[in-house]
Amino acid sequence: MAAKTLYISGIVQGVGFRPFVYRLAHQYGLKGDVANTSAGVRIRLEGTADAVTALSRDITASPPPLAVITEIRAVDTPPRGFMDFAIVPSIHRTRVHAQILIPPDTAVCDDCLAEMFDPGNRRYRYPFINCTQCGPRYTIIQDIPYDRAKTTMAAFAMCPECRAEYSDPANRRFHAEATACPACGPRVSLTDSSGRPAADDPIAAAAALLKAGGILAVKGIGGFHLAADAENADAVLQLRRRKGRQEKPFALMARDLIAAGRLVRIRPEEAATLLSPQRPIVLLEKRGDGSPAAPGVAPGNCCFGVMLPYAPLHHLLFAVGGIAFTALVMTSGNIGDAPMAIDTAAARQSLSGIADAFLIHDRDICQRSDDAIVRHIGGRRRFIRRSRGYAPTPIFLHRPLPPILACGAELKNAVCLTQKRCAYLSPHIGDVKNLETYRFLNTALRHLERILDIAPEIVAHDAHPDYLSTRYARMRSSGIKVPVQHHHAHIAAAMAENRLEGPVIGLAFDGTGHGTDGAVWGGEVLKVDYRSFERAAHLAYTPMPGGDAAVREPWRMALAYLHGAFGKALRELDLPMLRHLDGNRVHTVLAMVEGGFQAPLTSSLGRLFDGIAALLDIRYDVTFEGQAAMALEMSADPSETGCYACDRPAENSREIPLLPIIEGVVRDRLSGLPVPVISQKFHNTLIRLFTALCTDIRRDAGLDRVVMSGGAFQNVILLDGLTRALNGEGFTVFNHIRVPTHDGGIALGQAMVAAATAG
Ligand code: ZN
Ligand code: ZN
Ligand code: FE
């Protein structure tokens, strides 16, 4: 006979763990009990040694699908003479440190779906059906431990039938904290913008409104969406007009995998991601002419962002009323750069000029969580936005960290909390450039600190003095404040998720980051460990005429690069861009470049992409960040193998000369070489140039691992091409898999650097 107590940590609450253990214990004839604790799950077992071993093995080998076990600790204990095996109430002990992991929100499971579409089931067509294997979690949890009373479901008292299921260890809704039914749970309604109910059958009426070309605000899991029929060109344009969103692609929700397959090409691994319980938006290559989606959904883009229905309500929207949509536009319910609405009253106010009607419900969303966005590149799934379904599942680290808060940068921000070997990245916060987003950063962080029970001792932030995230860090009353250089943080983030220790070669390519010399960095070849970094080389400094205006208007950058290469002689060039641009504006911008006023210096690769895109007349200005660079990438002809001359920095300099590249592009443009060829040659040049620079560093410093990070690595040609070229030279190459390569992943690196430097 054996008596053992197992302590399990990880995501083990709210995922059906206790009933799973209960069934195993009965199967193996074990006595004892199982309970949630403030640190995970405790299992006390008495029985034969073989049975105890078998149960432990099963827990490790096949835990419930949503569980993530980080640690199992087994302790021999004196036998207590248990008579049976039972699930006992939660044990709350104060200040045992909580390695409690909060489960993310999960798409409705197949069992629940089958019930929802079974006319004989008491939850037939009930839009809030869920169980221990599915449903909202992070977005409804107000505090820990995860019990109904500490969620936004506390407002709904369970009916006797739900209560019976909840209390029956054999039932699949045993301790399903968010369980509900039509008799006792939340309800859906359709209203106009003043809140007046608009229909008896809200979902059918909402579907009919969409079919008629209307725009619908839909309250979902992590916030409001704005929906329109994706096949209705007028509806899509109307939505763009009302939302004031010119060209940035809209996400689509396809009815099912087959419907998605009519819009985009889907490889098997992409289908698996589409169908995964996290249900992210997946960027997929558009099908040619046959695409039924309106052209206004993603103009000028080779991809659609597609997801499948994940909330039961979404499934019903596609199924009821006999209306068959192929896909709906499902874009965030917000205005401009403000965070998506989560509160019904606020949504009514902010979206009333956009939505014709509101499909809402009375289950509160406690925390906002935008749809996640991923793309499969080079056989791996990459995050473009790590949010609903993934956050706040931790990134597991190779070494323990003290409690740290890292505030991120500015664009596409996410913040990070660390504790021991876990780094918890928040859901997507957005561009922290206005009061609303700043407030969201504040509330998301306070909430994460509470539910993860972390009191940060160190507060890491970007070295940029004016970012709102930096101001937030400075405002915190406690914690050692540690500024971290932007590109150091980028590389450290990629090192951390790949569990590397330095030193490594870091290629940090992006649009903007505050440099130690006050310039705007972004084309950086670095030698990096967590403690420090050394700048080995960078793109030659070029003025950004008008500062931020040069980001919105890439033609300004083009002029700056032309001026760098040709000086005043640039005016004699017979380039289409120069013919097209207004002479006065060209004059003003060149005056800024020559005089060096309102023209901060930059080594940014993002700006170089912008400038080349303008030189090639692909885009003179942009309506969203990265638009010109993306268009340049999409224009490239992959069959072209040519390349421009590339020079290394001169002796005693770290500046990579741009002259040969700009000259080459201009020469080809003037000679009438097709744009796709020039674009590919430009990409090839960068690949060859940076591979050569890495080889130089290996020769001098013996480093043979290259870590790549920064927003520019969303460019597939660059990511794939550099990886292949560096591998070919014998380098081991690392990039991002677990967090975004852009600034949405940077907080992780800030935390790593702060841990190494603050101690
Ligand atoms: Zn379920
Ligand atoms: Zn009920
Ligand atoms: Fe960056």
Side-chain angles (χ1 to χ4, degrees):
M1 293 300 280
K4 262 194 203 317
T5 301
L6 308 181
Y7 297 93
I8 323 264
S9 2
I11 301 182
V12 288
Q13 297 186 8
V15 293
F17 204 85
R18 288 170 302 166
F20 161 76
V21 172
Y22 177 91
R23 279 191 294 274
L24 283 180
H26 279 268
Q27 184 186 325
Y28 291 119
L30 287 160
K31 313 285 185 224
D33 61 18
V34 57
N36 280 347
T37 72
S38 39
V41 164
R42 185 195 70 185
I43 310 168
R44 298 194 288 190
L45 297 170
E46 291 180 18
T48 67
D50 283 354
V52 172
T53 310
L55 183 140
S56 311
R57 187 195 54 219
D58 286 5
I59 286 177
T60 320
S62 50
L66 302 182
V68 177
I69 295 172
T70 55
E71 195 189 348
I72 300 182
R73 203 158 47 86
V75 181
D76 287 314
T77 39
R80 303 167 62 102
F82 285 109
M83 303 301 289
D84 58 3
F85 193 91
I87 297 175
V88 295
S90 302
I91 304 157
H92 304 287
R93 230 181 278 126
T94 44
R95 306 320 289 185
V96 196
H97 182 245
Q99 202 74 351
I100 275 266
L101 306 185
I102 303 298
D105 307 283
T106 305
V108 59
C109 73
D110 289 345
D111 289 342
C112 286
L113 262 190
E115 286 184 12
M116 187 173 76
F117 286 117
D118 170 9
N121 193 282
R122 71 190 189 89
R123 292 188 179 85
Y124 179 56
R125 289 192 169 179
Y126 182 57
F128 303 95
I129 190 167
N130 68 82
C131 70
T132 52
Q133 300 306 313
C134 75
R137 297 286 189 278
Y138 169 77
T139 53
I140 61 164
I141 293 176
Q142 294 160 320
D143 209 342
I144 48 165
Y146 173 52
D147 281 331
R148 187 183 184 93
K150 290 180 173 158
T151 70
T152 59
M153 282 301 293
F156 303 93
M158 274 185 239
C159 70
E161 274 179 285
C162 284
R163 170 68 58 191
E165 293 170 346
Y166 181 88
S167 314
D168 172 8
N171 192 285
R172 68 187 194 86
R173 290 198 175 83
F174 177 70
H175 276 265
E177 303 298 343
T179 192
C181 78
C184 67
R187 278 165 205 212
V188 68
S189 55
L190 184 72
T191 72
D192 61 17
S193 56
S194 64
R196 258 192 312 272
D200 297 337
D201 186 343
I203 300 174
L209 178 128
L210 286 168
K211 200 67 197 175
I215 292 165
L216 185 71
V218 186
K219 185 175 179 182
I221 302 293
F224 273 80
H225 283 114
L226 286 163
D229 180 358
E231 291 181 81
N232 186 327
D234 290 338
V236 172
L237 289 182
Q238 189 66 248
L239 178 56
R240 283 209 179 274
R241 244 193 316 271
R242 291 190 199 168
K243 207 173 178 242
R245 178 156 153 150
Q246 293 173 285
E247 293 166 302
K248 199 172 178 186
F250 283 139
L252 295 175
M253 181 178 278
R255 187 182 60 237
D256 50 27
L257 199 60
I258 294 166
R262 291 174 51 206
L263 302 161
V264 288
R265 285 174 217 289
I266 309 171
R267 288 170 294 182
E269 68 271 22
E270 293 165 335
T273 303
L274 279 170
L275 290 165
S276 68
Q278 291 83 8
R279 285 290 199 284
I281 296 168
V282 185
L283 294 192
L284 295 160
E285 192 195 334
K286 281 180 186 173
R287 279 199 182 283
D289 310 333
S291 170
V297 171
N301 202 300
C302 61
C303 291
F304 282 132
V306 181
M307 62 184 149
L308 296 179
Y310 55 89
L313 181 60
H314 300 150
H315 286 275
L316 290 169
L317 254 185
F318 280 101
V320 302
I323 301 169
F325 299 103
T326 302
L328 294 173
V329 166
M330 286 288 246
T331 188
S332 334
N334 63 346
I335 302 213
D337 293 330
M340 162 176 68
I342 55 174
D343 172 75
T344 301
R348 250 186 222 126
Q349 203 165 37
S350 64
L351 306 179
S352 61
I354 305 176
D356 297 306
F358 291 76
L359 187 62
I360 54 165
H361 58 73
D362 52 358
R363 181 177 69 198
D364 284 344
I365 299 170
C366 169
Q367 284 301 311
R368 180 181 292 111
S369 197
D370 286 77
D371 295 318
I373 309 176
V374 304
R375 183 176 187 184
H376 285 260
I377 304 171
R380 310 290 301 267
R381 187 199 65 202
R382 321 273 176 169
F383 283 104
I384 293 170
R385 185 195 286 163
R386 188 177 180 276
S387 208
R388 177 189 50 74
Y390 300 97
T393 307
I395 315 295
F396 295 106
L397 305 171
H398 66 292
R399 55 150 130 158
L401 295 194
I404 300 176
L405 154 63
C407 300
E410 182 173 64
L411 299 179
K412 303 175 182 174
N413 194 27
V415 294
C416 181
L417 284 168
T418 64
Q419 176 88 64
K420 298 182 179 166
R421 285 175 193 274
C422 290
Y424 305 89
L425 221 56
S426 73
H428 170 75
I429 305 280
D431 296 350
V432 191
K433 293 168 85 167
N434 52 47
L435 185 63
E436 293 92 334
T437 323
Y438 181 82
R439 282 204 187 114
F440 175 28
L441 185 154
N442 201 328
T443 52
L445 246 175
R446 297 285 174 194
H447 182 252
L448 266 183
E449 285 175 68
R450 186 168 64 246
I451 61 175
L452 298 171
D453 194 17
I454 295 177
E457 292 163 8
I458 299 172
V459 179
H461 60 86
D462 196 279
H464 198 300
D466 301 329
Y467 282 171
L468 286 179
S469 57
T470 301
R471 291 195 201 174
Y472 175 80
R474 294 215 183 111
M475 266 189 32
R476 300 266 311 192
S477 53
S478 62
I480 308 165
K481 313 293 159 63
V482 182
V484 181
Q485 199 281 325
H486 190 89
H487 302 95
H488 188 196
H490 264 308
I491 299 301
M495 287 168 66
E497 64 149 277
N498 286 290
R499 304 177 172 210
L500 301 180
E501 286 293 329
V504 299
I505 301 173
L507 299 180
F509 299 159
D510 63 3
T512 301
H514 188 74
T516 52
D517 56 359
V520 181
W521 293 10
E524 311 302 314
V525 183
L526 310 170
K527 286 185 260 179
V528 183
D529 60 26
Y530 292 119
R531 188 174 277 279
S532 63
F533 74 96
E534 192 186 313
R535 203 177 185 201
H538 62 88
L539 295 184
Y541 278 139
T542 303
M544 284 172 74
D548 276 351
V551 179
R552 291 187 301 271
E553 300 178 2
W555 62 269
R556 291 170 181 252
M557 286 314 300
L559 285 178
Y561 292 117
L562 285 177
H563 186 270
F566 300 96
K568 291 194 191 305
L570 82 90
R571 288 167 214 261
E572 272 102 73
L573 298 169
D574 185 30
L575 285 167
M577 183 190 82
L578 293 174
R579 287 200 302 271
H580 175 274
L581 292 173
D582 173 68
N584 287 328
R585 301 187 75 194
V586 170
H587 186 78
T588 312
V589 162
L590 285 178
M592 286 177 178
V593 172
E594 281 162 5
F597 64 93
Q598 287 181 36
L601 294 178
T602 187
S603 58
S604 160
L605 184 63
R607 293 294 81 77
L608 181 61
F609 267 92
D610 283 359
I612 301 290
L615 268 180
L616 298 181
D617 309 288
I618 293 172
R619 287 214 73 104
Y620 299 133
D621 43 34
V622 297
T623 61
F624 61 93
E625 192 234 345
Q627 189 180 16
M630 234 153 72
L632 180 62
E633 176 192 355
M634 285 187 288
S635 76
D637 170 4
S639 67
E640 171 62 34
T641 55
C643 170
Y644 298 111
C646 34
D647 292 349
R648 297 178 162 86
E651 201 83 41
N652 298 324
S653 166
R654 290 179 309 214
E655 295 210 45
I656 302 163
L658 298 176
L659 178 84
I661 302 177
I662 304 298
E663 267 183 357
V665 169
V666 168
R667 197 186 325 113
D668 280 351
R669 186 74 181 129
L670 291 174
S671 75
L673 206 66
V675 166
V677 173
I678 304 177
S679 169
Q680 184 68 43
K681 280 176 80 175
F682 170 67
H683 281 89
N684 295 345
T685 309
L686 295 176
I687 291 163
R688 205 164 89 182
L689 172 67
F690 288 111
T691 305
L693 289 169
C694 288
T695 312
D696 291 350
I697 296 177
R698 178 171 57 188
R699 196 190 49 230
D700 299 342
L703 307 181
D704 59 2
R705 294 174 300 168
V706 179
V707 176
M708 311 195 297
S709 183
F713 285 107
Q714 291 173 94
N715 180 314
V716 180
I717 304 174
L718 198 61
L719 179 71
D720 260 356
L722 257 176
T723 304
R724 228 169 302 138
L726 287 165
N727 283 333
E729 290 294 324
F731 287 99
T732 318
V733 180
F734 301 89
N735 45 52
H736 286 285
I737 303 296
R738 293 171 185 86
V739 305
T741 192
H742 56 58
D743 291 1
I746 208 165
L748 172 62
Q750 291 174 342
M752 296 302 291
V753 172
T757 53

